[in-house]
PDB file of all heavy atoms in Angstrom:
ATOM      1  N   GLU A   1      -4.860 -11.564 -57.511  1.00 44.00           N
ATOM      2  CA  GLU A   1      -5.675 -10.353 -57.555  1.00 44.00           C
ATOM      3  C   GLU A   1      -5.090  -9.276 -56.657  1.00 44.00           C
ATOM      4  O   GLU A   1      -4.754  -9.525 -55.499  1.00 44.00           O
ATOM      5  CB  GLU A   1      -7.101 -10.673 -57.119  1.00 44.00           C
ATOM      6  CG  GLU A   1      -8.026  -9.476 -57.231  1.00 44.00           C
ATOM      7  CD  GLU A   1      -9.445  -9.856 -56.871  1.00 44.00           C
ATOM      8  OE1 GLU A   1      -9.682 -11.028 -56.572  1.00 44.00           O
ATOM      9  OE2 GLU A   1     -10.317  -8.958 -56.916  1.00 44.00           O
ATOM     10  N   ALA A   2      -4.943  -8.070 -57.178  1.00 45.00           N
ATOM     11  CA  ALA A   2      -4.427  -6.941 -56.404  1.00 45.00           C
ATOM     12  C   ALA A   2      -5.579  -6.228 -55.735  1.00 45.00           C
ATOM     13  O   ALA A   2      -6.707  -6.272 -56.209  1.00 45.00           O
ATOM     14  CB  ALA A   2      -3.677  -5.969 -57.321  1.00 45.00           C
ATOM     15  N   PRO A   3      -5.326  -5.562 -54.605  1.00 44.00           N
ATOM     16  CA  PRO A   3      -6.397  -4.827 -53.938  1.00 44.00           C
ATOM     17  C   PRO A   3      -6.892  -3.685 -54.792  1.00 44.00           C
ATOM     18  O   PRO A   3      -6.141  -3.070 -55.538  1.00 44.00           O
ATOM     19  CB  PRO A   3      -5.714  -4.322 -52.651  1.00 44.00           C
ATOM     20  CG  PRO A   3      -4.252  -4.329 -52.951  1.00 44.00           C
ATOM     21  CD  PRO A   3      -4.045  -5.445 -53.907  1.00 44.00           C
ATOM     22  N   ALA A   4      -8.179  -3.398 -54.686  1.00 44.00           N
ATOM     23  CA  ALA A   4      -8.781  -2.355 -55.509  1.00 44.00           C
ATOM     24  C   ALA A   4      -8.196  -0.994 -55.193  1.00 44.00           C
ATOM     25  O   ALA A   4      -7.985  -0.182 -56.079  1.00 44.00           O
ATOM     26  CB  ALA A   4     -10.292  -2.348 -55.308  1.00 44.00           C
ATOM     27  N   SER A   5      -7.917  -0.716 -53.954  1.00 52.00           N
ATOM     28  CA  SER A   5      -7.412   0.599 -53.567  1.00 52.00           C
ATOM     29  C   SER A   5      -6.806   0.507 -52.180  1.00 52.00           C
ATOM     30  O   SER A   5      -7.236  -0.293 -51.344  1.00 52.00           O
ATOM     31  CB  SER A   5      -8.551   1.633 -53.581  1.00 52.00           C
ATOM     32  OG  SER A   5      -8.115   2.843 -52.991  1.00 52.00           O
ATOM     33  N   HIS A   6      -5.760   1.341 -51.930  1.00 54.00           N
ATOM     34  CA  HIS A   6      -5.166   1.376 -50.597  1.00 54.00           C
ATOM     35  C   HIS A   6      -6.142   1.937 -49.574  1.00 54.00           C
ATOM     36  O   HIS A   6      -5.967   1.747 -48.378  1.00 54.00           O
ATOM     37  CB  HIS A   6      -3.895   2.229 -50.624  1.00 54.00           C
ATOM     38  CG  HIS A   6      -4.153   3.682 -50.862  1.00 54.00           C
ATOM     39  ND1 HIS A   6      -4.328   4.200 -52.124  1.00 54.00           N
ATOM     40  CD2 HIS A   6      -4.278   4.709 -50.002  1.00 54.00           C
ATOM     41  CE1 HIS A   6      -4.544   5.507 -52.024  1.00 54.00           C
ATOM     42  NE2 HIS A   6      -4.515   5.843 -50.758  1.00 54.00           N
ATOM     43  N   GLU A   7      -7.203   2.602 -50.037  1.00 57.00           N
ATOM     44  CA  GLU A   7      -8.184   3.165 -49.117  1.00 57.00           C
ATOM     45  C   GLU A   7      -9.071   2.083 -48.493  1.00 57.00           C
ATOM     46  O   GLU A   7      -9.829   2.355 -47.577  1.00 57.00           O
ATOM     47  CB  GLU A   7      -9.050   4.198 -49.836  1.00 57.00           C
ATOM     48  CG  GLU A   7      -8.262   5.427 -50.298  1.00 57.00           C
ATOM     49  CD  GLU A   7      -9.139   6.437 -50.989  1.00 57.00           C
ATOM     50  OE1 GLU A   7     -10.324   6.127 -51.221  1.00 57.00           O
ATOM     51  OE2 GLU A   7      -8.656   7.538 -51.304  1.00 57.00           O
ATOM     52  N   ASP A   8      -8.981   0.828 -49.014  1.00 70.00           N
ATOM     53  CA  ASP A   8      -9.739  -0.266 -48.415  1.00 70.00           C
ATOM     54  C   ASP A   8      -9.114  -0.743 -47.119  1.00 70.00           C
ATOM     55  O   ASP A   8      -9.695  -1.564 -46.418  1.00 70.00           O
ATOM     56  CB  ASP A   8      -9.826  -1.448 -49.395  1.00 70.00           C
ATOM     57  CG  ASP A   8     -10.673  -1.110 -50.607  1.00 70.00           C
ATOM     58  OD1 ASP A   8     -11.484  -0.176 -50.509  1.00 70.00           O
ATOM     59  OD2 ASP A   8     -10.513  -1.760 -51.646  1.00 70.00           O
ATOM     60  N   VAL A   9      -7.915  -0.249 -46.800  1.00 76.00           N
ATOM     61  CA  VAL A   9      -7.171  -0.729 -45.646  1.00 76.00           C
ATOM     62  C   VAL A   9      -6.932   0.411 -44.661  1.00 76.00           C
ATOM     63  O   VAL A   9      -6.481   1.490 -45.042  1.00 76.00           O
ATOM     64  CB  VAL A   9      -5.810  -1.325 -46.080  1.00 76.00           C
ATOM     65  CG1 VAL A   9      -4.960  -1.684 -44.868  1.00 76.00           C
ATOM     66  CG2 VAL A   9      -6.035  -2.553 -46.942  1.00 76.00           C
ATOM     67  N   LEU A  10      -7.269   0.162 -43.393  1.00 83.00           N
ATOM     68  CA  LEU A  10      -6.965   1.095 -42.313  1.00 83.00           C
ATOM     69  C   LEU A  10      -5.892   0.444 -41.438  1.00 83.00           C
ATOM     70  O   LEU A  10      -6.185  -0.375 -40.580  1.00 83.00           O
ATOM     71  CB  LEU A  10      -8.226   1.376 -41.493  1.00 83.00           C
ATOM     72  CG  LEU A  10      -8.071   2.336 -40.313  1.00 83.00           C
ATOM     73  CD1 LEU A  10      -7.651   3.714 -40.782  1.00 83.00           C
ATOM     74  CD2 LEU A  10      -9.366   2.410 -39.518  1.00 83.00           C
ATOM     75  N   PRO A  11      -4.592   0.766 -41.686  1.00 86.00           N
ATOM     76  CA  PRO A  11      -3.511   0.079 -40.960  1.00 86.00           C
ATOM     77  C   PRO A  11      -3.495   0.433 -39.487  1.00 86.00           C
ATOM     78  O   PRO A  11      -3.670   1.582 -39.111  1.00 86.00           O
ATOM     79  CB  PRO A  11      -2.244   0.580 -41.670  1.00 86.00           C
ATOM     80  CG  PRO A  11      -2.639   1.877 -42.300  1.00 86.00           C
ATOM     81  CD  PRO A  11      -4.089   1.752 -42.654  1.00 86.00           C
ATOM     82  N   VAL A  12      -3.287  -0.584 -38.652  1.00 86.00           N
ATOM     83  CA  VAL A  12      -3.296  -0.406 -37.206  1.00 86.00           C
ATOM     84  C   VAL A  12      -2.034  -1.015 -36.605  1.00 86.00           C
ATOM     85  O   VAL A  12      -1.629  -2.118 -36.982  1.00 86.00           O
ATOM     86  CB  VAL A  12      -4.538  -1.055 -36.570  1.00 86.00           C
ATOM     87  CG1 VAL A  12      -4.495  -0.945 -35.045  1.00 86.00           C
ATOM     88  CG2 VAL A  12      -5.818  -0.410 -37.099  1.00 86.00           C
ATOM     89  N   ILE A  13      -1.403  -0.286 -35.693  1.00 87.00           N
ATOM     90  CA  ILE A  13      -0.256  -0.763 -34.931  1.00 87.00           C
ATOM     91  C   ILE A  13      -0.677  -0.843 -33.475  1.00 87.00           C
ATOM     92  O   ILE A  13      -1.207   0.119 -32.930  1.00 87.00           O
ATOM     93  CB  ILE A  13       0.956   0.171 -35.099  1.00 87.00           C
ATOM     94  CG1 ILE A  13       1.402   0.209 -36.566  1.00 87.00           C
ATOM     95  CG2 ILE A  13       2.110  -0.271 -34.211  1.00 87.00           C
ATOM     96  CD1 ILE A  13       2.525   1.173 -36.831  1.00 87.00           C
ATOM     97  N   SER A  14      -0.445  -1.999 -32.829  1.00 85.00           N
ATOM     98  CA  SER A  14      -0.954  -2.211 -31.481  1.00 85.00           C
ATOM     99  C   SER A  14       0.142  -2.698 -30.545  1.00 85.00           C
ATOM    100  O   SER A  14       1.022  -3.456 -30.947  1.00 85.00           O
ATOM    101  CB  SER A  14      -2.088  -3.239 -31.483  1.00 85.00           C
ATOM    102  OG  SER A  14      -3.098  -2.892 -32.400  1.00 85.00           O
ATOM    103  N   ASN A  15       0.072  -2.235 -29.299  1.00 84.00           N
ATOM    104  CA  ASN A  15       0.893  -2.770 -28.221  1.00 84.00           C
ATOM    105  C   ASN A  15      -0.030  -3.508 -27.262  1.00 84.00           C
ATOM    106  O   ASN A  15      -1.011  -2.939 -26.801  1.00 84.00           O
ATOM    107  CB  ASN A  15       1.622  -1.646 -27.474  1.00 84.00           C
ATOM    108  CG  ASN A  15       2.710  -1.021 -28.318  1.00 84.00           C
ATOM    109  OD1 ASN A  15       3.134  -1.596 -29.306  1.00 84.00           O
ATOM    110  ND2 ASN A  15       3.150   0.159 -27.936  1.00 84.00           N
ATOM    111  N   LEU A  16       0.266  -4.767 -26.975  1.00 83.00           N
ATOM    112  CA  LEU A  16      -0.602  -5.589 -26.149  1.00 83.00           C
ATOM    113  C   LEU A  16       0.177  -6.200 -24.993  1.00 83.00           C
ATOM    114  O   LEU A  16       1.397  -6.308 -25.039  1.00 83.00           O
ATOM    115  CB  LEU A  16      -1.259  -6.700 -26.967  1.00 83.00           C
ATOM    116  CG  LEU A  16      -2.076  -6.264 -28.186  1.00 83.00           C
ATOM    117  CD1 LEU A  16      -1.274  -6.463 -29.455  1.00 83.00           C
ATOM    118  CD2 LEU A  16      -3.363  -7.031 -28.267  1.00 83.00           C
ATOM    119  N   THR A  17      -0.544  -6.613 -23.976  1.00 81.00           N
ATOM    120  CA  THR A  17       0.038  -7.298 -22.837  1.00 81.00           C
ATOM    121  C   THR A  17      -0.246  -8.785 -22.936  1.00 81.00           C
ATOM    122  O   THR A  17      -1.380  -9.192 -23.204  1.00 81.00           O
ATOM    123  CB  THR A  17      -0.550  -6.746 -21.527  1.00 81.00           C
ATOM    124  OG1 THR A  17      -0.290  -5.348 -21.450  1.00 81.00           O
ATOM    125  CG2 THR A  17       0.062  -7.437 -20.321  1.00 81.00           C
ATOM    126  N   ILE A  18       0.770  -9.602 -22.723  1.00 82.00           N
ATOM    127  CA  ILE A  18       0.591 -11.051 -22.787  1.00 82.00           C
ATOM    128  C   ILE A  18      -0.362 -11.510 -21.685  1.00 82.00           C
ATOM    129  O   ILE A  18      -0.217 -11.128 -20.530  1.00 82.00           O
ATOM    130  CB  ILE A  18       1.942 -11.763 -22.650  1.00 82.00           C
ATOM    131  CG1 ILE A  18       2.809 -11.484 -23.879  1.00 82.00           C
ATOM    132  CG2 ILE A  18       1.757 -13.266 -22.471  1.00 82.00           C
ATOM    133  CD1 ILE A  18       4.180 -12.121 -23.811  1.00 82.00           C
ATOM    134  N   SER A  19      -1.342 -12.312 -22.082  1.00 77.00           N
ATOM    135  CA  SER A  19      -2.284 -12.868 -21.120  1.00 77.00           C
ATOM    136  C   SER A  19      -2.561 -14.311 -21.501  1.00 77.00           C
ATOM    137  O   SER A  19      -2.944 -14.589 -22.640  1.00 77.00           O
ATOM    138  CB  SER A  19      -3.592 -12.069 -21.105  1.00 77.00           C
ATOM    139  OG  SER A  19      -4.528 -12.662 -20.237  1.00 77.00           O
ATOM    140  N   PRO A  20      -2.374 -15.273 -20.579  1.00 73.00           N
ATOM    141  CA  PRO A  20      -2.539 -16.687 -20.928  1.00 73.00           C
ATOM    142  C   PRO A  20      -3.978 -17.100 -21.199  1.00 73.00           C
ATOM    143  O   PRO A  20      -4.213 -18.145 -21.799  1.00 73.00           O
ATOM    144  CB  PRO A  20      -1.990 -17.413 -19.691  1.00 73.00           C
ATOM    145  CG  PRO A  20      -2.171 -16.447 -18.572  1.00 73.00           C
ATOM    146  CD  PRO A  20      -1.971 -15.087 -19.174  1.00 73.00           C
ATOM    147  N   ASP A  21      -4.946 -16.300 -20.763  1.00 73.00           N
ATOM    148  CA  ASP A  21      -6.355 -16.667 -20.950  1.00 73.00           C
ATOM    149  C   ASP A  21      -7.050 -15.731 -21.926  1.00 73.00           C
ATOM    150  O   ASP A  21      -8.256 -15.499 -21.828  1.00 73.00           O
ATOM    151  CB  ASP A  21      -7.095 -16.680 -19.614  1.00 73.00           C
ATOM    152  CG  ASP A  21      -6.928 -15.375 -18.847  1.00 73.00           C
ATOM    153  OD1 ASP A  21      -6.189 -14.508 -19.339  1.00 73.00           O
ATOM    154  OD2 ASP A  21      -7.529 -15.228 -17.770  1.00 73.00           O
ATOM    155  N   THR A  22      -6.292 -15.190 -22.889  1.00 80.00           N
ATOM    156  CA  THR A  22      -6.847 -14.261 -23.869  1.00 80.00           C
ATOM    157  C   THR A  22      -6.532 -14.733 -25.279  1.00 80.00           C
ATOM    158  O   THR A  22      -5.413 -15.175 -25.556  1.00 80.00           O
ATOM    159  CB  THR A  22      -6.261 -12.849 -23.669  1.00 80.00           C
ATOM    160  OG1 THR A  22      -6.666 -12.353 -22.412  1.00 80.00           O
ATOM    161  CG2 THR A  22      -6.751 -11.897 -24.766  1.00 80.00           C
ATOM    162  N   VAL A  23      -7.529 -14.651 -26.157  1.00 85.00           N
ATOM    163  CA  VAL A  23      -7.336 -14.902 -27.580  1.00 85.00           C
ATOM    164  C   VAL A  23      -7.516 -13.577 -28.308  1.00 85.00           C
ATOM    165  O   VAL A  23      -8.578 -12.959 -28.227  1.00 85.00           O
ATOM    166  CB  VAL A  23      -8.327 -15.955 -28.113  1.00 85.00           C
ATOM    167  CG1 VAL A  23      -8.148 -16.137 -29.618  1.00 85.00           C
ATOM    168  CG2 VAL A  23      -8.140 -17.279 -27.397  1.00 85.00           C
ATOM    169  N   THR A  24      -6.492 -13.135 -28.997  1.00 87.00           N
ATOM    170  CA  THR A  24      -6.509 -11.836 -29.673  1.00 87.00           C
ATOM    171  C   THR A  24      -6.835 -12.008 -31.148  1.00 87.00           C
ATOM    172  O   THR A  24      -6.269 -12.887 -31.815  1.00 87.00           O
ATOM    173  CB  THR A  24      -5.141 -11.144 -29.537  1.00 87.00           C
ATOM    174  OG1 THR A  24      -4.836 -10.970 -28.156  1.00 87.00           O
ATOM    175  CG2 THR A  24      -5.144  -9.787 -30.225  1.00 87.00           C
ATOM    176  N   ASP A  25      -7.748 -11.194 -31.663  1.00 89.00           N
ATOM    177  CA  ASP A  25      -8.063 -11.210 -33.090  1.00 89.00           C
ATOM    178  C   ASP A  25      -6.963 -10.499 -33.874  1.00 89.00           C
ATOM    179  O   ASP A  25      -6.596  -9.363 -33.558  1.00 89.00           O
ATOM    180  CB  ASP A  25      -9.402 -10.518 -33.353  1.00 89.00           C
ATOM    181  CG  ASP A  25     -10.583 -11.363 -32.911  1.00 89.00           C
ATOM    182  OD1 ASP A  25     -10.381 -12.556 -32.648  1.00 89.00           O
ATOM    183  OD2 ASP A  25     -11.701 -10.820 -32.833  1.00 89.00           O
ATOM    184  N   LEU A  26      -6.449 -11.166 -34.900  1.00 91.00           N
ATOM    185  CA  LEU A  26      -5.472 -10.568 -35.811  1.00 91.00           C
ATOM    186  C   LEU A  26      -6.157 -10.399 -37.161  1.00 91.00           C
ATOM    187  O   LEU A  26      -6.430 -11.368 -37.859  1.00 91.00           O
ATOM    188  CB  LEU A  26      -4.232 -11.452 -35.934  1.00 91.00           C
ATOM    189  CG  LEU A  26      -3.088 -10.893 -36.790  1.00 91.00           C
ATOM    190  CD1 LEU A  26      -2.545  -9.610 -36.178  1.00 91.00           C
ATOM    191  CD2 LEU A  26      -1.982 -11.917 -36.947  1.00 91.00           C
ATOM    192  N   ARG A  27      -6.462  -9.152 -37.509  1.00 91.00           N
ATOM    193  CA  ARG A  27      -7.217  -8.847 -38.724  1.00 91.00           C
ATOM    194  C   ARG A  27      -6.242  -8.696 -39.890  1.00 91.00           C
ATOM    195  O   ARG A  27      -5.393  -7.817 -39.885  1.00 91.00           O
ATOM    196  CB  ARG A  27      -8.036  -7.576 -38.518  1.00 91.00           C
ATOM    197  CG  ARG A  27      -9.038  -7.683 -37.371  1.00 91.00           C
ATOM    198  CD  ARG A  27      -9.486  -6.346 -36.853  1.00 91.00           C
ATOM    199  NE  ARG A  27      -8.378  -5.610 -36.251  1.00 91.00           N
ATOM    200  CZ  ARG A  27      -8.502  -4.443 -35.647  1.00 91.00           C
ATOM    201  NH1 ARG A  27      -9.676  -3.872 -35.559  1.00 91.00           N
ATOM    202  NH2 ARG A  27      -7.456  -3.838 -35.127  1.00 91.00           N
ATOM    203  N   LEU A  28      -6.403  -9.549 -40.907  1.00 92.00           N
ATOM    204  CA  LEU A  28      -5.464  -9.625 -42.012  1.00 92.00           C
ATOM    205  C   LEU A  28      -6.165  -9.350 -43.334  1.00 92.00           C
ATOM    206  O   LEU A  28      -7.393  -9.318 -43.414  1.00 92.00           O
ATOM    207  CB  LEU A  28      -4.806 -11.009 -42.051  1.00 92.00           C
ATOM    208  CG  LEU A  28      -4.040 -11.426 -40.782  1.00 92.00           C
ATOM    209  CD1 LEU A  28      -3.674 -12.895 -40.852  1.00 92.00           C
ATOM    210  CD2 LEU A  28      -2.803 -10.566 -40.588  1.00 92.00           C
ATOM    211  N   LYS A  29      -5.340  -9.164 -44.377  1.00 90.00           N
ATOM    212  CA  LYS A  29      -5.871  -8.949 -45.722  1.00 90.00           C
ATOM    213  C   LYS A  29      -4.855  -9.492 -46.721  1.00 90.00           C
ATOM    214  O   LYS A  29      -3.651  -9.331 -46.513  1.00 90.00           O
ATOM    215  CB  LYS A  29      -6.125  -7.461 -45.978  1.00 90.00           C
ATOM    216  CG  LYS A  29      -6.877  -7.168 -47.280  1.00 90.00           C
ATOM    217  CD  LYS A  29      -7.205  -5.692 -47.388  1.00 90.00           C
ATOM    218  CE  LYS A  29      -7.973  -5.397 -48.680  1.00 90.00           C
ATOM    219  NZ  LYS A  29      -9.307  -6.002 -48.653  1.00 90.00           N
ATOM    220  N   PRO A  30      -5.306 -10.151 -47.791  1.00 91.00           N
ATOM    221  CA  PRO A  30      -4.365 -10.649 -48.799  1.00 91.00           C
ATOM    222  C   PRO A  30      -3.464  -9.545 -49.339  1.00 91.00           C
ATOM    223  O   PRO A  30      -3.887  -8.399 -49.501  1.00 91.00           O
ATOM    224  CB  PRO A  30      -5.298 -11.197 -49.892  1.00 91.00           C
ATOM    225  CG  PRO A  30      -6.542 -11.581 -49.169  1.00 91.00           C
ATOM    226  CD  PRO A  30      -6.702 -10.558 -48.077  1.00 91.00           C
ATOM    227  N   LEU A  31      -2.197  -9.907 -49.593  1.00 89.00           N
ATOM    228  CA  LEU A  31      -1.146  -9.022 -50.098  1.00 89.00           C
ATOM    229  C   LEU A  31      -0.583  -8.095 -49.008  1.00 89.00           C
ATOM    230  O   LEU A  31       0.238  -7.245 -49.294  1.00 89.00           O
ATOM    231  CB  LEU A  31      -1.620  -8.183 -51.287  1.00 89.00           C
ATOM    232  CG  LEU A  31      -2.185  -8.960 -52.484  1.00 89.00           C
ATOM    233  CD1 LEU A  31      -2.487  -8.009 -53.630  1.00 89.00           C
ATOM    234  CD2 LEU A  31      -1.223 -10.042 -52.930  1.00 89.00           C
ATOM    235  N   TYR A  32      -1.032  -8.270 -47.759  1.00 90.00           N
ATOM    236  CA  TYR A  32      -0.483  -7.518 -46.634  1.00 90.00           C
ATOM    237  C   TYR A  32       0.006  -8.506 -45.577  1.00 90.00           C
ATOM    238  O   TYR A  32      -0.621  -9.542 -45.354  1.00 90.00           O
ATOM    239  CB  TYR A  32      -1.526  -6.581 -46.026  1.00 90.00           C
ATOM    240  CG  TYR A  32      -1.937  -5.456 -46.938  1.00 90.00           C
ATOM    241  CD1 TYR A  32      -2.931  -5.646 -47.895  1.00 90.00           C
ATOM    242  CD2 TYR A  32      -1.347  -4.198 -46.853  1.00 90.00           C
ATOM    243  CE1 TYR A  32      -3.318  -4.618 -48.744  1.00 90.00           C
ATOM    244  CE2 TYR A  32      -1.723  -3.166 -47.688  1.00 90.00           C
ATOM    245  CZ  TYR A  32      -2.709  -3.381 -48.630  1.00 90.00           C
ATOM    246  OH  TYR A  32      -3.085  -2.366 -49.464  1.00 90.00           O
ATOM    247  N   ALA A  33       1.104  -8.169 -44.934  1.00 92.00           N
ATOM    248  CA  ALA A  33       1.676  -9.034 -43.907  1.00 92.00           C
ATOM    249  C   ALA A  33       1.639  -8.331 -42.561  1.00 92.00           C
ATOM    250  O   ALA A  33       1.803  -7.110 -42.482  1.00 92.00           O
ATOM    251  CB  ALA A  33       3.117  -9.424 -44.261  1.00 92.00           C
ATOM    252  N   ALA A  34       1.422  -9.091 -41.507  1.00 93.00           N
ATOM    253  CA  ALA A  34       1.424  -8.562 -40.150  1.00 93.00           C
ATOM    254  C   ALA A  34       2.685  -9.029 -39.428  1.00 93.00           C
ATOM    255  O   ALA A  34       3.095 -10.188 -39.551  1.00 93.00           O
ATOM    256  CB  ALA A  34       0.181  -9.023 -39.389  1.00 93.00           C
ATOM    257  N   THR A  35       3.283  -8.127 -38.676  1.00 93.00           N
ATOM    258  CA  THR A  35       4.477  -8.436 -37.894  1.00 93.00           C
ATOM    259  C   THR A  35       4.112  -8.525 -36.416  1.00 93.00           C
ATOM    260  O   THR A  35       3.521  -7.595 -35.865  1.00 93.00           O
ATOM    261  CB  THR A  35       5.556  -7.359 -38.090  1.00 93.00           C
ATOM    262  OG1 THR A  35       5.921  -7.292 -39.465  1.00 93.00           O
ATOM    263  CG2 THR A  35       6.794  -7.674 -37.259  1.00 93.00           C
ATOM    264  N   ILE A  36       4.450  -9.640 -35.784  1.00 94.00           N
ATOM    265  CA  ILE A  36       4.227  -9.829 -34.354  1.00 94.00           C
ATOM    266  C   ILE A  36       5.585  -9.838 -33.663  1.00 94.00           C
ATOM    267  O   ILE A  36       6.448 -10.660 -33.993  1.00 94.00           O
ATOM    268  CB  ILE A  36       3.476 -11.146 -34.077  1.00 94.00           C
ATOM    269  CG1 ILE A  36       2.142 -11.176 -34.828  1.00 94.00           C
ATOM    270  CG2 ILE A  36       3.264 -11.340 -32.585  1.00 94.00           C
ATOM    271  CD1 ILE A  36       1.415 -12.496 -34.729  1.00 94.00           C
ATOM    272  N   ARG A  37       5.779  -8.924 -32.731  1.00 92.00           N
ATOM    273  CA  ARG A  37       7.042  -8.843 -31.997  1.00 92.00           C
ATOM    274  C   ARG A  37       6.812  -9.285 -30.555  1.00 92.00           C
ATOM    275  O   ARG A  37       6.002  -8.700 -29.840  1.00 92.00           O
ATOM    276  CB  ARG A  37       7.604  -7.415 -32.028  1.00 92.00           C
ATOM    277  CG  ARG A  37       8.927  -7.268 -31.263  1.00 92.00           C
ATOM    278  CD  ARG A  37       9.426  -5.833 -31.309  1.00 92.00           C
ATOM    279  NE  ARG A  37       9.812  -5.467 -32.655  1.00 92.00           N
ATOM    280  CZ  ARG A  37      11.013  -5.721 -33.181  1.00 92.00           C
ATOM    281  NH1 ARG A  37      11.932  -6.351 -32.464  1.00 92.00           N
ATOM    282  NH2 ARG A  37      11.287  -5.348 -34.407  1.00 92.00           N
ATOM    283  N   MET A  38       7.530 -10.306 -30.143  1.00 91.00           N
ATOM    284  CA  MET A  38       7.427 -10.834 -28.795  1.00 91.00           C
ATOM    285  C   MET A  38       8.493 -10.198 -27.895  1.00 91.00           C
ATOM    286  O   MET A  38       9.512  -9.719 -28.388  1.00 91.00           O
ATOM    287  CB  MET A  38       7.578 -12.354 -28.807  1.00 91.00           C
ATOM    288  CG  MET A  38       6.552 -13.067 -29.669  1.00 91.00           C
ATOM    289  SD  MET A  38       4.853 -12.795 -29.108  1.00 91.00           S
ATOM    290  CE  MET A  38       4.905 -13.619 -27.517  1.00 91.00           C
ATOM    291  N   PRO A  39       8.292 -10.203 -26.575  1.00 89.00           N
ATOM    292  CA  PRO A  39       9.263  -9.576 -25.677  1.00 89.00           C
ATOM    293  C   PRO A  39      10.514 -10.419 -25.456  1.00 89.00           C
ATOM    294  O   PRO A  39      11.457  -9.966 -24.799  1.00 89.00           O
ATOM    295  CB  PRO A  39       8.472  -9.414 -24.378  1.00 89.00           C
ATOM    296  CG  PRO A  39       7.458 -10.502 -24.418  1.00 89.00           C
ATOM    297  CD  PRO A  39       7.089 -10.658 -25.863  1.00 89.00           C
ATOM    298  N   GLU A  40      10.533 -11.654 -25.991  1.00 88.00           N
ATOM    299  CA  GLU A  40      11.682 -12.545 -25.839  1.00 88.00           C
ATOM    300  C   GLU A  40      11.703 -13.502 -27.013  1.00 88.00           C
ATOM    301  O   GLU A  40      10.733 -13.587 -27.780  1.00 88.00           O
ATOM    302  CB  GLU A  40      11.589 -13.303 -24.517  1.00 88.00           C
ATOM    303  CG  GLU A  40      10.334 -14.153 -24.386  1.00 88.00           C
ATOM    304  CD  GLU A  40      10.239 -14.800 -23.013  1.00 88.00           C
ATOM    305  OE1 GLU A  40      10.927 -14.338 -22.101  1.00 88.00           O
ATOM    306  OE2 GLU A  40       9.487 -15.778 -22.879  1.00 88.00           O
ATOM    307  N   PRO A  41      12.784 -14.250 -27.200  1.00 90.00           N
ATOM    308  CA  PRO A  41      12.886 -15.145 -28.357  1.00 90.00           C
ATOM    309  C   PRO A  41      11.750 -16.167 -28.423  1.00 90.00           C
ATOM    310  O   PRO A  41      11.294 -16.691 -27.406  1.00 90.00           O
ATOM    311  CB  PRO A  41      14.240 -15.833 -28.152  1.00 90.00           C
ATOM    312  CG  PRO A  41      15.036 -14.859 -27.361  1.00 90.00           C
ATOM    313  CD  PRO A  41      14.047 -14.179 -26.453  1.00 90.00           C
ATOM    314  N   VAL A  42      11.317 -16.454 -29.650  1.00 90.00           N
ATOM    315  CA  VAL A  42      10.232 -17.397 -29.909  1.00 90.00           C
ATOM    316  C   VAL A  42      10.812 -18.794 -30.068  1.00 90.00           C
ATOM    317  O   VAL A  42      11.831 -18.989 -30.761  1.00 90.00           O
ATOM    318  CB  VAL A  42       9.453 -16.979 -31.173  1.00 90.00           C
ATOM    319  CG1 VAL A  42       8.422 -18.027 -31.550  1.00 90.00           C
ATOM    320  CG2 VAL A  42       8.795 -15.628 -30.954  1.00 90.00           C
TER     321      VAL A  42
END
């Protein structure tokens, strides 16, 4: 199934600080991919 309209999506780009005691919500949608860039190799 394709998305009904591109207007259903509000794209967000975020810069975050690594914190060992934090769980971050990653909001996703089918047919869209999220890129996570780490400050060093994974």
Side-chain angles (χ1 to χ4, degrees):
E1 184 177 359
S5 170
H6 68 277
E7 295 181 353
D8 292 339
V9 174
L10 180 62
V12 176
I13 298 176
S14 307
N15 290 343
L16 303 101
T17 301
I18 292 178
S19 176
D21 53 357
T22 295
V23 177
T24 301
D25 286 347
L26 184 63
R27 300 160 295 184
L28 302 169
K29 189 174 181 67
L31 304 185
Y32 293 84
T35 300
I36 303 174
R37 180 181 293 275
M38 302 298 295
E40 59 184 18
V42 174

